[in-house]
């Protein structure tokens, strides 16, 4: 077998195009702006997947928001969740007494955001809400209340607009379903 034959073949099918994403992000921005008027909003972006979403979202928010970043790991390379969540990069600033909004790429089993919410509530924020670009309700293991959801999507593995497969495809401006010739349904 040649090395090329060992590489799984990736097939990408657009699920949400760039214009739909941008329109929805703008709508979410308006809702958040309205809900947090007269409040000092502090956003926590979950790296790396939510970075494109955050960058677009904050351009629809008032100028005086503040930002922080956190990196977690619930997936190893590829598609399989270990079920274990680790903090790889913690926050730089305290969230005590602050109006906090978590910005995440996708709510899948809910294990990551369930863990993260409990961890952040223990640090004494005034409020803590979740904004996720995508949600796969049919995959949920832990119920996590997300106040802002961009799109509910079917049980498919998606890449693009920040979401990766083995660190690739984050730079696509669309969200696409990825199938390989190795696996097509369970991940
Ligand atoms: P959860 O803990 O199962 O909710 O998974 C959350 C994390 O899994 C997300 O932040 C993503 O990093 C990753 N993830 C879940 N589904 C997908 C997908 O379809 N494509 C890429 N990453 C995914
Ligand atoms: Mg993520």
């Amino acid at each position: 077998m040649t090395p090329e034959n060992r590489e799984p073949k990736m097939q990408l099918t657009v699920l949400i195009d760039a214009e739909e994403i941008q329109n929805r992000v703008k709508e979410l921005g308006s809702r958040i702006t309205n809900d947090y008027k007269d409040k000092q909003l502090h956003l926590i972006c979950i790296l790396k997947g939510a970075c494109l979403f955050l960058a677009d979202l904050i351009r629809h928010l008032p100028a005086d928001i503040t930002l922080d970043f956190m990196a977690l790991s619930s997936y190893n390379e590829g598609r399989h969740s270990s079920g274990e969540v680790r903090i790889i990069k913690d926050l730089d600033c305290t969230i005590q007494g602050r109006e906090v909004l978590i910005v995440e790429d996708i709510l899948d089993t809910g294990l990551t955001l369930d863990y993260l919410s409990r961890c952040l509530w223990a640090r004494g924020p005034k409020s803590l809400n979740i904004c996720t670009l995508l949600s796969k309700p049919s995959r949920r293991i832990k119920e996590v209340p997300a106040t802002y959801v961009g799109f509910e999507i079917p049980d498919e593995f998606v890449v693009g607009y920040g979401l990766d497969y083995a660190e690739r495809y984050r730079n696509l401006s669309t969200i696409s379903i990825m199938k390989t010739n190795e696996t097509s349904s369970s991940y």
Side-chain angles (χ1 to χ4, degrees):
M1 193 188 254
T2 63
E4 301 87 83
N5 290 341
R6 278 198 296 272
E7 279 268 308
K9 269 211 167 58
M10 306 300 178
Q11 198 195 322
L12 300 183
T13 312
V14 174
L15 178 68
I16 311 171
D17 70 28
E19 195 183 344
E20 280 179 272
I21 295 173
Q22 293 307 324
N23 290 342
R24 187 68 181 134
V25 171
K26 192 174 175 193
E27 282 172 15
L28 291 176
S30 306
R31 273 186 58 202
I32 294 168
T33 301
N34 190 50
D35 293 352
Y36 285 87
K37 60 175 177 286
D38 310 323
K39 290 178 182 162
Q40 180 63 55
L41 178 58
H42 185 63
L43 299 175
I44 295 177
C45 172
I46 308 304
L47 297 171
K48 304 170 195 168
C51 63
L52 271 71
F53 178 36
L54 177 92
D56 286 338
L57 182 68
I58 57 176
R59 282 178 268 191
H60 299 290
L61 298 180
D64 63 345
I65 56 141
T66 50
L67 294 178
D68 205 345
F69 296 86
M70 202 168 194
L72 306 169
S73 168
S74 63
Y75 271 55
N76 297 322
E77 282 235 321
R79 294 173 163 204
H80 297 273
S81 172
S82 61
E84 175 204 348
V85 180
R86 286 180 299 136
I87 295 181
I88 295 169
K89 184 222 169 286
D90 208 338
L91 299 173
D92 292 333
C93 314
T94 179
I95 57 166
Q96 174 108 43
R98 300 178 93 161
E99 311 272 7
V100 176
L101 182 62
I102 300 170
V103 179
E104 174 62 305
D105 53 2
I106 186 164
L107 182 52
D108 184 24
T109 63
L111 292 171
T112 306
L113 281 174
D114 176 67
Y115 170 87
L116 181 64
S117 302
R118 284 186 282 116
C119 165
L120 294 183
W121 269 121
R123 300 182 189 189
K126 187 168 178 194
S127 68
L128 181 67
N129 285 305
I130 293 170
C131 175
T132 182
L133 178 69
L134 304 175
S135 171
K136 288 185 210 169
S138 62
R139 294 259 305 163
R140 212 73 88 238
I141 293 171
K142 290 269 183 193
E143 270 320 311
V144 178
T147 310
Y148 308 98
V149 178
F151 301 93
E152 290 200 342
I153 63 167
D155 180 7
E156 299 279 4
F157 192 84
V158 291
V159 296
Y161 198 66
L163 290 127
D164 73 308
Y165 171 69
E167 294 300 328
R168 293 166 65 197
Y169 308 113
R170 293 193 194 278
N171 56 320
L172 304 179
S173 50
T174 59
I175 292 166
S176 292
I177 294 173
M178 193 191 82
K179 303 246 194 244
T180 70
N181 58 1
E182 283 187 336
T183 50
S184 56
S185 53
S186 70
Y187 52 89

